[in-house]
Amino acid sequence: MTNGRRMVSVLGSTGSIGVNTLDVIARHPRRFEVFALAANSSVDAMLAQCLACEPRYAVMMEEVAAESLRRQLPATSSTEVLQGEAGLFHVVTAPQVDVVMAAIVGAAGLPSTLAAARAGKTLLLANKESLVMGGHLLMQAVRESGARLLPIDSEHNAIFQCMPVDGVATPSLKGVSKVLLTASGGPFRNWSIAQMRGATPDQACAHPNWSMGRKISVDSASLMNKGLEFIEACWIFDLAPDLVDVVVHPQSIIHSMVQYRDGSVMAQMGNPDMRTPIAYGLGWPDRLASGVAPLDLVATARLDFEAPDEQRFPCLRLAREAVTAGGTAMAVCNAANEIAVAAFLDQQIRFTDIPVVIEHTLEQVSIVEPTTLSVVEAADAEARDLASGFLAEVNNHVSPVNKI
Ligand code: NAD
Ligand code: MG
């Protein structure tokens, strides 16, 4: 904290969540100061962000990108460029840092997210994959260090807002009977399996309500995003899987709900704009202006609900089975999904092959207890090898029109 301002490190600053986070921060210059920005390789975007926010540090994961950024920053800049995991570790654990926005995409976010939790920071968690992989470790780190975890994923942020005010630990003891996780259904909500077989990456990324990075957009189309969020909800709110129901709500106005034993259902509503949960996390327990337009219920006119179809969207079933299997099954499910999504975006497999790759990988591995970060990373690496091997085998032996 300097001059009463909270110091924030934004990991994944050039991505969709990162850009929205900087938008909210820029609206409150007296409350927040950007300590560090971190991204993978997008130098141009990072340079522009450094010039606008003047962070103490900018971290680039790739060496070439770090060098290029160093060269392009003006000599007068006070930003120091760091590189790689060591740089990331420094900007999440530095004593000056109050808040870490964890918005790296995928498993790559786990070590830095865990380091922020272990350092006792206020952890704004967008990187759901880190919780899916290492939920046990992450929640333990939060408990032991006294870190505060505030969920940024819109559904979990909504659940957090609807939970009893006196804390979210062991919700069933506070009269909570169910958590209702809403899903938009994604761009293929009404598509047949045959139609989805021919879906292109651009069609999968054309989400009807949200503008997001490509990986999470494909996950939303396959409903794996809801599967990952199902696991995420179990970890954050300490819920048994049978206490979480998924409800398809195509308008994405209700971001999730909590049902109580007296029949009450609390819902959090708002326009689908990530700046609302980001502002909630940054300001908590205060409410900050976020730039999000007020909800116009008359223009919205109707809110629809339907049950999810696990025949057409098997990823949801696979994620539920992984949480029930426990241990490293969730890390395996996540890793196989990341490989399959990358292959789909690269047009190596069809959209409908994504669950096939995940199921095949889950069948091949043995599940162990995720006691340390290395155990989780080993399970992640094994699953990536198996999923990639499966894809290579299929590509070598079967005609491209009928691959899996
Ligand atoms: P994105 O693809 O738009 O951005 C990803 C960011 O991570 C970029 O800044 C990129 O440079 C950085 N990055 C990628 N690989 C990295 C690596 N190996 N090391 C360090 N940085 C790396 O993704 P996004 O849509 O902003 O999503 C980020 C995370 O937030 C994901 O876990 C996603 O599931 C979650 N999330 C996103 C949304 C959304 O609306 N976009 C909503 C809820 C949750
Ligand atoms: Mg979400």
Side-chain angles (χ1 to χ4, degrees), residues 128 153-156 210 212 216 225-226 229 232 274:
K128 66 190 87 184
D153 212 347
S154 58
E155 295 76 4
H156 306 77
W210 298 95
M212 309 179 285
I216 184 177
N225 184 49
K226 215 45 59 182
E229 292 182 356
E232 189 185 3
M274 287 308 292

Side-chain angles (χ1 to χ4, degrees), residues 188 196-197 199-201 204 214-215 217-225 313-316 318 332-346 348-362 387 390-391 404:
F188 303 151
M196 284 191 268
R197 207 169 282 141
T200 65
R214 281 171 86 75
K215 192 266 177 181
S217 295
V218 176
D219 286 347
S220 299
S222 69
L223 287 206
M224 180 47 96
N225 184 49
F313 299 101
C315 285
L316 188 53
L318 291 170
V332 169
C333 179
N334 177 67
N337 180 56
E338 287 190 27
I339 294 292
V341 170
F344 168 67
L345 284 172
D346 206 24
Q348 292 170 34
I349 62 171
R350 293 172 303 207
F351 180 75
T352 44
D353 295 334
I354 294 172
V356 179
V357 175
I358 300 168
E359 189 149 31
H360 175 84
T361 308
L362 278 165
F390 179 55
L391 288 178
I404 294 183

Side-chain angles (χ1 to χ4, degrees), residues 11-18 20 38-42 61 85 88 102-106 108-109 125-130 152-155 210-216 219 225 228-229 274:
L11 315 185
S13 64
T14 58
S16 167
I17 292 287
N20 278 307
N40 196 31
S41 57
S42 23
M61 297 313 287
E85 282 294 333
L88 264 190
I104 291 173
V105 60
L125 185 70
N127 175 229
K128 66 190 87 184
E129 295 91 344
S130 59
I152 297 303
D153 212 347
S154 58
E155 295 76 4
W210 298 95
S211 156
M212 309 179 285
R214 281 171 86 75
K215 192 266 177 181
I216 184 177
D219 286 347
N225 184 49
L228 299 177
E229 292 182 356
M274 287 308 292

Side-chain angles (χ1 to χ4, degrees), residues 272-336:
D273 186 321
M274 287 308 292
R275 290 177 299 174
T276 295
I278 290 168
Y280 185 86
L282 282 168
W284 187 89
D286 295 345
R287 298 273 181 176
L288 305 184
S290 63
V292 176
L295 178 60
D296 182 342
L297 276 175
V298 174
T300 305
R302 53 184 286 178
L303 302 176
D304 295 306
F305 303 96
E306 58 194 61
D309 179 349
E310 291 190 3
Q311 291 294 113
R312 284 185 302 132
F313 299 101
C315 285
L316 188 53
R317 169 181 60 81
L318 291 170
R320 247 185 327 95
E321 286 172 3
V323 77
T324 308
T328 46
M330 292 167 270
V332 169
C333 179
N334 177 67

Side-chain angles (χ1 to χ4, degrees), residues 23 37 57 62 69 89 109 130 139 168 171 204 213 233 265 279 293 326 350 355-356:
D23 179 286
L37 300 172
Y57 296 101
E62 291 186 4
L69 182 64
F89 187 79
S130 59
M139 295 313 289
V168 293
V265 177
R350 293 172 303 207
V356 179

